[in-house]
Amino acid sequence: MTTELRILLLEDVQTDAELALRALHKSGITPTSFRVDTRDDYLQALSQFQPDVILADYQLPSFDGLSALSIARERCPEVPFIFVTGKMGEEVAIETLQKGATDYILKDRLSRLGPAVLRALAEAREHQHTADLQAQLAAIVESASEGIIGMDLQGVVTSWNRGAEAIYGYRAAEMLGQSIERLSCPSCPHTMQDLIQEIRSGRRVRRNETQHATREGRILDVSLSLAPILDRIGRLVGISALALDITEQKQVEQALIENGKRLERSMRTTIQAIANIVEVRDPYTAGHQRRVAQLAEAIARELGLPEDQIQGLQLAGIVHDIGKIQIPAEILSKPGRLTAVEYQFIQLHSQAGFEILKDVEFPWPIAEIVGQHHERLNGSGYPKGLKDGEILLEAKILSVADVVEAMASHRPYRPGLGIDAALEEISNQRGLHFQPEIVDACVTLFRDKGYQLES
């Protein structure tokens, strides 16, 4: 397959031009050629013939190759320029390459001309492809809505795109050559020099949230990502920064947080109102749910549970006896010992509590915790006789807190037995009814850390 291209020959000897063209044919190159030997003809050919390759003799009677090279590099720098000359010393050859020549071929070595032209064309195409990619990248960077900033290792701005102009209000002319610290403000969590030092230490900076000041003095919330700029041998020569204005996002996040807090307060108020209903119907156990919730929370913290899980447990504790609103008041306040039938009524409150709460959308399994707080590890509890692996951890904690508070406090049918008796009871049932580490945490709270049930 032949390659067709336009060859401009700067050659005063017709036969030498023909020999050069013949050498090209032997390499599969079929050129459209145009020969000139004067400066005026050369200039005209550059603009009208528009060559793909220039082959030039080094010395001509009325023109010289170095002048031709200088003109070509100025007017068409992407076109390969190859000297084809009869004689050229090593120093002169190096000088031509330094001044922009692609290659040089001696006329008695024309077999090298074809490969040299093909290689020069391939390199030119590669250079053009790279230039096109760089131009596309530059266009993308310039049109990006994000701030894309280049700086040297001292933080002096070397590039500043339109996105940065839109975010900060500074035009490129105002920032180029200026320190990036110009954007810092007294409230900034991190100075730009801190972040630059991270890059110089070999670390990347990803989505660092800080604050910057605009040209007008407005404080912005900004997300910054910094990356190193390396030269061809991997040396750090600069830093690129991607800046995103997240002010609105932070405002929305803050609004969501505040809304979440309001919803949480509303939820807690509602739960407390529900708990109050139970205590109105069962005045003898007033405060029981609150004290159980407090003790359960303390046990959970002793165990190192996550804060969110503790919060759900605490809320479940506040309403764990809500099912008692379905128990006749005369049974709840009976001063004597309950009959077997009355005790069966009492046992219904766990399932009743689950039924009341199951359709309420909590972030935690409140209904399940309430429904299981009288289950026991060995399956002897109620309402479903669940065993160890079937019971929620929160329900296990609540069951220990419930027993301790109930035994230690006064009831219509008996005086309070005291905390020692309560701790002895859960210790005796350790591993049988109650999870061992929960019992141990509860005992530690009272005996080693001075925990006390509120009155």
Side-chain angles (χ1 to χ4, degrees):
M1 181 177 179
T2 59
T3 301
E4 295 186 2
L5 71 158
R6 294 185 299 279
I7 299 282
L8 176 59
L9 294 157
L10 181 57
E11 173 62 65
D12 63 317
V13 180
Q14 176 66 31
T15 54
D16 284 355
E18 292 175 353
L19 288 172
L21 292 173
R22 188 179 302 171
L24 294 177
H25 278 286
K26 289 182 179 180
S27 296
I29 302 172
T30 304
T32 298
S33 63
F34 189 76
R35 186 177 70 85
V36 297
D37 59 7
T38 67
R39 185 178 188 280
D40 291 341
D41 290 343
Y42 177 70
L43 292 172
Q44 185 177 7
L46 287 179
S47 61
Q48 296 182 2
F49 182 64
Q50 296 183 344
D52 296 312
V53 180
I54 299 171
L55 304 180
D57 199 351
Y58 185 71
Q59 290 182 332
L60 296 94
S62 61
F63 197 30
D64 69 277
L66 282 180
S67 297
L69 173 61
S70 177
I71 293 170
R73 293 287 71 88
E74 179 183 345
R75 299 196 176 192
C76 49
E78 74 285 353
V79 175
F81 190 106
I82 300 175
F83 279 109
V84 183
T85 185
K87 187 177 182 181
M88 180 178 285
E90 183 177 343
E91 291 184 3
V92 175
I94 293 174
E95 180 186 5
T96 63
L97 295 176
Q98 290 174 340
K99 291 185 176 181
T102 307
D103 205 344
Y104 69 93
I105 303 295
L106 298 179
K107 288 183 177 180
D108 60 356
R109 297 288 187 271
L110 287 178
S111 60
R112 293 182 53 233
L113 181 58
V117 168
L118 292 173
R119 183 171 59 253
L121 288 170
E123 291 176 355
R125 285 193 295 270
E126 182 64 27
H127 290 160
Q128 186 60 47
H129 179 64
T130 300
D132 290 343
L133 289 177
Q134 290 175 340
Q136 292 174 17
L137 178 60
I140 291 171
V141 168
E142 188 61 21
S143 62
S145 59
E146 299 85 355
I148 301 177
I149 305 164
M151 47 193 148
D152 65 16
L153 299 182
Q154 285 69 48
V156 175
V157 176
T158 56
S159 63
W160 184 266
N161 76 334
R162 292 180 183 174
E165 290 184 356
I167 292 172
Y168 294 107
Y170 290 103
R171 299 190 65 79
E174 297 177 281
M175 287 301 298
L176 294 178
Q178 300 295 316
S179 172
I180 196 68
E181 286 295 340
R182 188 174 188 176
L183 305 178
S184 295
C185 59
S187 61
C188 295
H190 306 284
T191 68
M192 289 302 296
Q193 288 301 326
D194 292 335
L195 302 180
I196 289 171
Q197 187 57 43
E198 289 289 302
I199 299 298
R200 297 180 68 172
S201 301
R203 296 182 289 272
R204 284 178 175 261
V205 176
R206 300 181 187 275
R207 293 185 290 278
N208 178 275
E209 293 189 4
T210 186
Q211 289 183 315
H212 279 166
T214 68
R215 192 175 188 274
E216 295 75 26
R218 187 165 60 94
I219 303 302
L220 300 177
D221 289 299
V222 179
S223 173
L224 280 177
S225 296
L226 273 64
I229 299 175
L230 307 177
D231 65 11
R232 291 185 177 181
I233 61 174
R235 292 179 303 185
L236 178 65
V237 295
I239 298 169
S240 66
L242 177 68
L244 301 177
D245 181 359
I246 58 172
T247 305
E248 289 189 11
Q249 174 187 327
K250 298 295 287 186
Q251 290 172 346
V252 170
E253 289 177 359
Q254 187 59 39
L256 289 174
I257 291 172
E258 293 300 324
N259 187 51
K261 289 180 179 178
R262 285 194 296 271
L263 289 174
E264 181 181 337
R265 288 194 295 269
S266 176
M267 179 178 63
R268 286 183 173 275
T269 301
T270 302
I271 288 177
Q272 188 58 57
I274 294 172
N276 291 341
I277 294 174
V278 178
E279 295 192 352
V280 168
R281 297 193 71 249
D282 186 12
Y284 293 99
T285 58
H288 166 70
Q289 292 186 119
R290 173 174 48 81
R291 289 189 293 271
V292 169
Q294 291 170 345
L295 177 55
E297 178 184 355
I299 294 172
R301 294 192 184 282
E302 183 70 18
L303 292 171
L305 266 61
E307 191 63 35
D308 182 68
Q309 194 173 10
I310 292 174
Q311 186 177 2
L313 171 60
Q314 197 263 346
L315 292 177
I318 291 175
V319 293
H320 73 276
D321 278 341
I322 187 176
K324 287 184 177 180
I325 64 174
Q326 294 189 6
I327 308 300
E330 58 271 20
I331 294 179
L332 293 176
S333 58
K334 182 178 178 180
R337 182 172 296 276
L338 298 176
T339 67
V341 173
E342 290 170 337
Y343 186 65
Q344 288 177 350
F345 266 107
I346 291 293
Q347 288 182 323
L348 295 176
H349 81 279
S350 296
Q351 184 63 31
F354 171 79
E355 295 297 333
I356 291 170
L357 297 170
K358 67 178 182 180
D359 294 325
V360 181
E361 293 186 9
F362 292 109
W364 313 275
I366 300 292
E368 288 78 5
I369 298 170
V370 169
Q372 295 177 9
H373 79 277
H374 277 289
E375 301 288 358
R376 299 293 183 258
L377 298 186
N378 64 356
S380 63
Y382 60 84
K384 295 182 178 180
L386 301 179
K387 294 186 177 181
D388 185 6
E390 301 170 307
I391 307 170
L392 292 173
L393 175 60
E394 294 93 329
K396 295 176 182 178
I397 296 173
L398 195 59
S399 67
V400 170
D402 188 39
V403 168
V404 169
E405 200 288 329
M407 289 187 64
S409 301
H410 294 287
R411 286 295 181 267
Y413 50 87
R414 61 153 174 81
L417 302 177
I419 196 64
D420 289 336
L423 295 181
E424 182 180 358
E425 172 63 18
I426 62 171
S427 297
N428 290 338
Q429 301 300 329
R430 182 181 183 276
L432 183 64
H433 287 178
F434 308 117
Q435 191 161 311
E437 55 265 37
I438 297 174
V439 171
D440 295 342
C442 183
V443 172
T444 297
L445 284 173
F446 283 98
R447 291 186 174 165
D448 299 337
K449 297 189 175 182
Y451 185 87
Q452 293 183 344
L453 293 172
E454 292 187 6
S455 58

